[in-house]
Amino acid sequence: MSKTSNRLGLWFAHAYVIGLCGTLAGAYFFQFGLWEYPCPMCLLQRMFFLLSALGPAWIIARSRKGPVTTGEWASGWGWAIGAALIGSTVSAAQVLMHIVPPDPGYAGALFGLHLYTWALITFLAAALAAAAALFLTPVAEPLDAGLASPALRRAGAVTLAVLFVFAASNLVACFFLQGFHWQMPGDPTSYQFFTDLGL
């Protein structure tokens, strides 16, 4: 078994996590740069992006402590697929909510498609990518590549830190949007936490 392919398999796990975090960064641009408030379904889709990233993130974390078994590799990617497919159903539901003309859709669009449509595309692409990683298990599972490569060990710390930052920032953003209320408006127009403070 090629050590190179083992390392590439682990690098692919890094790319998957960073890719999903990059998707969330794009959503943050619309939220904080263009002042478009995400709806509850948008936030739910963000959570499933984070959940999908947890599978390969766990593989990365495991690779920093010792050899990764075939079962651990398969479990991590299986988790990623499951979360991505469930997230895709949320995105598809939101697409169907706004598909009948003259509904303009929720919030802005990128290249003519709303963010929930891009989310659906991204979820399906993520599920296919994770399935490919599973299919290539015999040649791509990292085994002890995480311990044998100093670059992978350093990258592991960075990738896990990036995921933590996005998970924590998403939690904070959700809190400010909802405040201390049990429910969030379906079409938010402000950060409820600051509105309640009279700001």
Side-chain angles (χ1 to χ4, degrees):
M1 188 176 295
S2 169
K3 287 290 184 182
T4 300
S5 64
N6 296 149
R7 293 182 182 182
L8 287 176
L10 194 50
W11 279 120
F12 183 74
H14 285 271
Y16 188 96
V17 174
I18 296 298
L20 292 187
C21 288
T23 301
L24 291 177
Y28 283 0
F29 172 76
F30 274 79
Q31 180 177 351
F32 301 112
L34 303 179
W35 290 98
E36 293 188 358
Y37 301 98
C39 68
M41 291 190 76
C42 298
L43 294 176
L44 190 58
Q45 289 163 70
R46 292 185 189 184
M47 291 176 188
F48 277 110
F49 278 126
L50 291 168
L51 283 174
S52 186
L54 278 183
W58 179 74
I59 293 172
I60 293 168
R62 184 67 186 83
S63 72
R64 289 168 52 80
K65 297 180 179 179
V68 178
T69 67
T70 300
E72 291 168 341
W73 171 259
S75 295
W77 287 114
W79 176 277
I81 292 171
L85 290 178
I86 296 173
S88 71
T89 64
V90 179
S91 298
Q94 192 169 11
V95 169
L96 293 175
M97 285 172 57
H98 299 287
I99 201 171
V100 179
D103 191 322
Y106 182 79
L110 178 66
F111 301 120
L113 298 178
H114 289 278
L115 292 189
Y116 43 83
T117 305
W118 282 114
L120 174 59
I121 294 169
T122 304
F123 275 126
L124 294 177
L128 286 174
L134 269 181
F135 181 76
L136 295 172
T137 294
V139 295
E141 58 182 327
L143 302 176
D144 63 348
L147 294 176
S149 170
L152 276 169
R153 286 187 58 79
R154 290 192 296 270
V158 173
T159 299
L160 295 175
V162 169
L163 179 59
F164 175 80
V165 167
F166 274 94
S169 60
N170 192 61
L171 180 63
V172 172
C174 288
F175 171 73
F176 285 139
L177 278 164
Q178 187 168 338
F180 290 102
H181 299 269
W182 285 108
Q183 290 185 326
M184 191 179 120
D187 187 4
T189 57
S190 67
Y191 289 99
Q192 192 63 46
F193 176 79
F194 296 114
T195 299
D196 291 342
L197 292 177
L199 301 176

